[in-house]
């Protein structure tokens, strides 16, 4: 017997397509079902010219903005987003940091087929977390070209008290075509000036290799500073997102004390600091009070480059008094080794699977690998190298530990999809180790992470430096029975 379209809709068989169906002409029953499956957001992805630093560049945008459309949900509700690809290239979107069904994770040819030009895909799953996250393309270097945006999930039982909720999305910009930049990197490197660059909090230099034109604060360049006025005396929650292609940002509110209350969406025991560094793809939630009649200059600088941007967060009864001088970071910088979870994060008993992960590479050849393997990404074509997919095999209930050993002179922000992990410093395994989804492994440094294997599927594990990933710096976790 042939089933009617209405029957298929009512039984849910066409649920992934329902949001894309026109409402006009539906029967009453279909209309009622369809209304419940409408997407909360529709993201139309386009290719457009932008010129934040004066030179027109080809950008990839979500709903026409840089950064892309901000998404805001509540923990426990359905994440329903319709993605429409109006670009000339295939794409996917990855919901960074979310624990979600494997087939919704947005990694091309691992968890889903790419969304072809003039096609659409409906993402639909239940949100299990709250906190500060973001989304971005996982194809080629599209995220570096602007295809990224903030994703905020509110807690209906939020324990923190604050009056204003402000998101700061930080990004970097290259003015040359990304393919041309990559060709230069693979040809032996690009000329990146070391004059007057911003160092790490400990004073050590920070190696970089991409000649960024500058950085943006919520899409605003230095010539048009970002500002935000709040009610006098407000306690503000700042959600700071490093949505860059490869930059590490140092951030401060000049003269203000910042209380760090969450890292990568997970709560931490509050820590008071004056400035902090965000590795690529990391997020921090900060609390700060803005007294009546006052304001603070937001300072953001790119480590290893002479690039900075300024903004101004102030009380609405205070005039704009942005300090336009070059940032001079002082006071207490965040020590990530001091971060602690507000509860016991030790994993339940289970078989231990322990893997050594060697991060290796060459800035001269622009060859980046994990345990000597190269993932088949867009620019993973090197003489004598055959790209291959390498999987760490785990089973449900395993305690999994990765011992990361960085043999290179560059920092690598390592991100595991579909899980949160405990961050363990060398020789330490405290009961309250913090939970994160992206950890920075410094040059010639070692860090261990541990997680519970409780989300079956195939999950990519990669360096979140977009250029390193595009050159193949990735492996994956695969659940087996």
């Amino acid at each position: 017997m042939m089933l009617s379209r209405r029957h298929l809709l009512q039984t849910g068989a066409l649920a992934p397509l329902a949001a894309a169906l026109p409402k006009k002409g539906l029967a009453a029953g279909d209309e009622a079902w369809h209304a419940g499956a409408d997407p909360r957001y529709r993201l139309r992805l386009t290719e457009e010219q932008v010129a934040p630093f004066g030179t027109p560049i080809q950008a990839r945008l979500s709903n026409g903005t840089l950064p892309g459309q901000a998404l805001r949900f509540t923990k426990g509700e359905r994440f329903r987003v319709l993605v429409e690809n109006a670009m000339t290239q295939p794409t996917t979107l990855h919901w960074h940091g979310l624990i979600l069904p494997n087939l919704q994770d947005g990694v091309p040819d691992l968890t889903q087929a790419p969304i072809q030009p003039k096609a659409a895909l409906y993402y639909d799953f239940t949100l299990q977390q709250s906190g500060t996250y973001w989304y971005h393309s996982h194809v080629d270097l599209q995220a570096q070209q602007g295809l990224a945006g903030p994703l905020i999930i509110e807690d209906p039982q939020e324990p923190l008290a604050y009056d204003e909720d402000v998101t700061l999305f930080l990004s970097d910009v290259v003015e040359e075509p990304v393919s041309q930049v990559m060709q230069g990197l693979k040809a032996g490197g690009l000329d990146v000036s070391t004059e007057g660059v911003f160092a790490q909090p400990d004073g050590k230099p920070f190696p970089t290799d991409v000649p960024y034109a500058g950085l943006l604060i919520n899409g605003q360049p230095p010539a048009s500073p970002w500002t935000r006025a709040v009610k006098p005396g407000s306690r503000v929650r700042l959600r700071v997102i490093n949505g860059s292609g490869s930059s590490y940002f140092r951030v401060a509110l000049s003269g203000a004390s910042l209380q760090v209350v969450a890292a990568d969406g997970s709560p931490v025991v509050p820590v008071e600091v004056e400035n902090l560094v965000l590795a690529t793809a990391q997020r921090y939630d900060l609390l700060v009070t803005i007294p009546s009649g006052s304001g603070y200059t937001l300072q953001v600088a790119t480590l290893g480059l002479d690039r900075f941007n300024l903004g101004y967060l102030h009380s609405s009864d205070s005039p704009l008094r942005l300090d336009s001088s070059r940032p001079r970071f002082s006071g207490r910088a965040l020590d990530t080794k001091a971060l602690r979870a507000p509860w016991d994060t030790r994993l339940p008993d289970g078989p231990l699977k322990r893997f050594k992960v060697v991060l290796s590479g060459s800035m001269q050849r622009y060859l980046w690998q994990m345990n000597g393997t190269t993932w088949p990404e867009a620019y993973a074509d090197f003489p004598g190298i055959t790209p291959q997919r390498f999987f760490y095999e785990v089973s449900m209930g395993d305690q999994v530990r990765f011992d990361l050993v960085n043999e290179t002179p560059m920092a690598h922000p390592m991100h595991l999809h579909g899980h949160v992990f405990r961050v363990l410093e060398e020789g330490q395994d405290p009961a309250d180790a913090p939970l994160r989804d992206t950890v920075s492994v410094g040059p010639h440094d070692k860090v261990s992470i541990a997680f519970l294997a409780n989300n079956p599927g195939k999950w990519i594990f990669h360096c979140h430096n977009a250029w390193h990933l595009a050159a193949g710096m990735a492996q994956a976790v695969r659940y087996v029975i």
Side-chain angles (χ1 to χ4, degrees):
M1 179 179 70
M2 195 162 200
L3 298 177
S4 69
R5 175 174 173 277
R6 178 172 180 176
H7 175 82
L8 291 171
L9 282 168
Q10 290 175 333
T11 59
L14 294 183
L17 303 177
L21 295 174
K23 291 186 177 183
K24 185 177 180 180
L26 291 177
D30 291 344
E31 177 68 22
W33 188 93
H34 177 263
D38 273 346
R40 176 74 173 274
Y41 294 95
R42 297 173 68 119
L43 300 181
R44 182 173 175 82
L45 313 183
T46 57
E47 298 160 330
E48 301 181 31
Q49 292 282 319
V50 300
F53 295 97
T55 299
I57 60 174
Q58 182 71 48
R60 301 182 186 279
L61 306 180
S62 166
N63 285 355
T65 65
L66 182 67
Q69 165 81 53
L71 308 182
R72 187 172 285 266
F73 292 90
T74 301
K75 178 181 178 181
E77 75 170 297
R78 299 290 294 185
F79 179 95
R80 289 187 169 121
V81 177
L82 177 64
V83 177
E84 302 170 333
N85 184 8
M87 303 188 299
T88 58
Q89 288 185 339
T91 194
T92 65
L93 287 186
H94 167 57
W95 318 105
H96 186 109
L98 296 196
I99 298 172
L100 74 178
N102 188 235
L103 298 182
Q104 305 270 326
D105 192 47
V107 178
D109 302 319
L110 185 70
T111 63
Q112 71 166 83
I115 309 170
Q116 296 299 318
K118 299 184 179 180
L121 186 65
Y122 189 53
Y123 293 88
D124 183 355
F125 54 90
T126 300
L127 292 165
Q128 305 178 39
Q129 300 152 272
S130 61
T132 302
Y133 302 92
W134 64 302
Y135 68 91
H136 57 82
S137 168
H138 222 286
V139 170
D140 202 345
L141 288 159
Q142 292 177 358
Q144 177 68 84
Q145 295 173 287
L147 190 42
L151 168 55
I152 310 302
I153 308 173
E154 297 178 354
D155 188 344
Q157 298 178 321
E158 176 60 61
L160 297 174
Y162 51 90
D163 307 299
E164 302 269 359
D165 193 326
V166 177
T167 299
L168 297 175
F169 192 94
L170 312 178
S171 53
D172 48 22
V173 175
V174 288
E175 292 186 326
E176 299 82 5
V178 291
S179 59
Q180 181 177 315
V181 174
M182 181 61 84
Q183 289 170 7
L185 291 169
K186 294 180 69 173
L190 296 169
D191 183 19
V192 177
S193 174
T194 58
E195 291 293 326
V197 301
F198 289 95
Q200 300 180 74
D202 60 7
K204 294 180 180 179
F206 189 83
T208 59
D209 50 21
V210 177
Y212 286 107
L215 65 102
L216 306 177
I217 301 174
N218 287 342
Q220 298 295 116
S224 178
W226 172 86
T227 64
R228 174 68 181 267
V230 298
K231 293 181 180 179
S234 289
R235 187 168 173 81
V236 179
R237 179 176 188 158
L238 288 176
R239 302 177 183 267
V240 189
I241 302 170
N242 185 341
S244 71
S246 67
S247 296
Y248 279 45
F249 294 126
R250 193 170 182 183
V251 176
L253 275 180
S254 183
S257 178
L258 304 169
Q259 189 177 67
V260 182
V261 294
D264 293 354
S266 294
V268 296
V269 175
V271 178
E272 295 284 341
V273 301
E274 278 70 53
N275 63 85
L276 68 159
V277 171
L278 292 91
T280 308
Q282 289 186 335
R283 294 89 62 210
Y284 285 106
D285 286 29
L286 315 171
L287 293 181
V288 61
T289 298
I290 311 299
S292 176
S294 69
Y296 299 106
T297 296
L298 172 65
Q299 301 177 323
V300 184
T302 305
L303 295 188
L305 292 175
D306 183 19
R307 301 287 185 270
F308 67 90
N309 198 344
L310 305 169
Y312 197 63
L313 179 64
H314 64 105
S315 169
S316 59
D317 62 357
S318 171
L320 185 65
R321 292 193 292 260
L322 185 148
D323 180 0
S324 60
S325 60
R326 178 185 173 86
R328 290 181 173 271
F329 298 99
S330 61
R332 181 181 177 187
L334 175 65
D335 179 1
T336 57
K337 295 181 180 180
L339 292 176
R340 290 292 177 261
W343 53 70
D344 191 328
T345 63
R346 285 174 294 185
L347 304 178
D349 291 338
L352 175 63
K353 297 285 181 65
R354 189 166 183 171
F355 305 95
K356 182 178 180 180
V357 183
V358 177
L359 310 178
S360 60
S362 166
M363 293 181 72
Q364 287 70 37
R365 294 182 63 197
Y366 222 70
L367 173 65
W368 302 102
Q369 296 183 306
M370 297 171 65
N371 286 346
T373 65
T374 301
W375 193 264
E377 282 285 345
Y379 295 93
D381 50 336
F382 298 92
I385 299 293
T386 301
Q388 59 179 307
R389 297 188 177 192
F390 179 88
F391 293 93
Y392 298 99
E393 293 192 339
V394 304
S395 299
M396 278 289 289
D398 285 346
Q399 291 190 35
V400 185
R401 177 163 172 157
F402 287 150
D403 297 312
L404 307 174
V405 180
N406 185 359
E407 296 183 346
T408 81
M410 293 195 74
H412 298 289
M414 302 303 297
H415 172 51
L416 174 64
H417 287 215
H419 302 75
V420 294
F421 49 71
R422 308 177 72 230
V423 179
L424 311 174
E425 302 299 333
E426 188 176 11
Q428 299 183 10
D429 186 3
D432 56 355
L435 299 176
R436 306 205 69 151
D437 57 58
T438 307
V439 64
S440 179
V441 189
H444 305 291
D445 201 1
K446 299 177 181 179
V447 177
S448 293
I449 63 173
F451 64 94
L452 178 65
N454 62 353
N455 195 6
K458 293 184 291 186
W459 302 97
I460 198 167
F461 178 43
H462 65 92
C463 177
H464 220 286
N465 180 313
W467 306 88
H468 295 178
L469 173 58
M473 197 171 191
Q475 294 181 332
V477 172
R478 176 169 57 196
Y479 283 65
V480 296
I481 57 174

